[in-house]
Amino acid sequence: MLSKKIEKALNDQIALEGTASFIYLAMASWCDKEGMEGCAQFMYRQSEEEREHMMRLVHYVNEMDSHAIIPAIKQPSKEYDSAQKLFEEVYAHEQKVTNAINKIVALCYETDDYTTLNFLQWYVEEQREEESLMRGILDKIKLIGTGGQSLYYIDKELNKINAAQMAAAQNEEGGAE
Ligand code: OFO
């Protein structure tokens, strides 16, 4: 069984991942409405991924004979000022999640919970990848600038990332067979 401290920290993390999933879904929907198909596809997938991260935690907490609590989720913003602002928000959210994961890792050391520590290694690696991916997207957006056709080029860049991620997922599936 998990200690009360770790159980609470993991339940807070469930809420954070669930919130990320909803925020990213709202962002995907806004991109869709604005005709940015590549960005929309990317954010729909990020939203799914965050849900999976939440579910991993739900299963872990319950497997450890504790109780995973499903949180109420606040309605995210409906409108975003620009693609750049949107990705700045995503990046800031990812940094917040990384900090939260690091705090639970520290708590695991404090409470000698090496099972949870081991479980969290996957999240540590995932956050490193996500932060670097979002930073890369923001760098590209800044390079493209805000000229007349900037949205077109930003969307094109996101489509390239979509294609690369789909190919990587297919490779993984192929390897797993
Ligand atoms: Fe859950 O990986 Fe990002 O936030």
Side-chain angles (χ1 to χ4, degrees):
M1 201 169 199
L2 298 169
S3 69
K4 283 289 159 209
K5 268 190 182 171
I6 293 284
E7 184 182 27
K8 156 119 188 29
L10 293 179
N11 272 318
D12 288 348
Q13 193 62 31
I14 287 173
L16 205 52
E17 303 282 350
T19 300
S21 176
F22 259 57
I23 293 175
Y24 295 173
L25 186 56
M27 289 174 167
S29 177
W30 179 79
C31 292
D32 227 350
K33 170 181 82 85
E34 295 293 314
M36 290 185 280
E37 215 182 285
C39 289
Q41 234 187 69
F42 178 79
M43 292 313 301
Y44 280 128
R45 207 171 43 252
Q46 289 304 122
S47 169
E48 280 296 323
E49 277 190 20
E50 296 304 341
R51 186 177 187 280
E52 282 166 24
H53 302 170
M54 176 185 75
M55 291 308 294
R56 241 176 215 257
L57 282 155
V58 167
H59 292 311
Y60 176 74
V61 170
N62 286 335
E63 258 166 39
M64 294 301 285
D65 201 16
S66 294
H67 189 184
I69 308 297
I70 309 308
I73 305 231
K74 219 172 91 201
Q75 181 178 11
S77 302
K78 286 188 272 187
E79 301 293 335
Y80 297 87
D81 291 341
S82 65
Q84 180 165 343
K85 283 263 156 51
L86 185 148
F87 279 102
E88 277 167 0
E89 238 184 80
V90 174
Y91 184 46
H93 197 85
E94 290 303 326
Q95 288 176 308
K96 185 174 166 187
V97 172
T98 303
N99 271 338
I101 293 285
N102 288 343
K103 282 199 180 130
I104 313 177
V105 167
L107 191 61
C108 288
Y109 280 114
E110 260 171 48
T111 57
D112 291 333
D113 185 344
Y114 301 109
T115 311
T116 303
L117 181 67
N118 190 41
F119 166 76
L120 287 175
Q121 293 316 302
W122 183 90
Y123 285 84
V124 171
E125 178 56 18
E126 179 69 15
Q127 283 310 119
R128 186 191 62 76
E129 281 176 16
E130 289 199 339
E131 276 201 32
S132 136
L133 174 65
M134 299 312 166
R135 211 169 32 242
I137 292 175
L138 268 177
D139 286 346
K140 284 218 172 82
I141 292 179
K142 283 179 197 154
L143 274 179
I144 291 170
T146 51
Q149 294 189 320
S150 60
L151 278 187
Y152 171 79
Y153 288 111
I154 291 170
D155 210 47
K156 229 173 149 186
E157 284 302 325
L158 265 296
N159 259 332
K160 276 192 220 160
I161 295 174
N162 289 334
Q165 288 189 336
M166 308 274 249
Q170 266 167 8
N171 273 347
E172 262 175 41
E173 272 171 32
E177 275 166 19

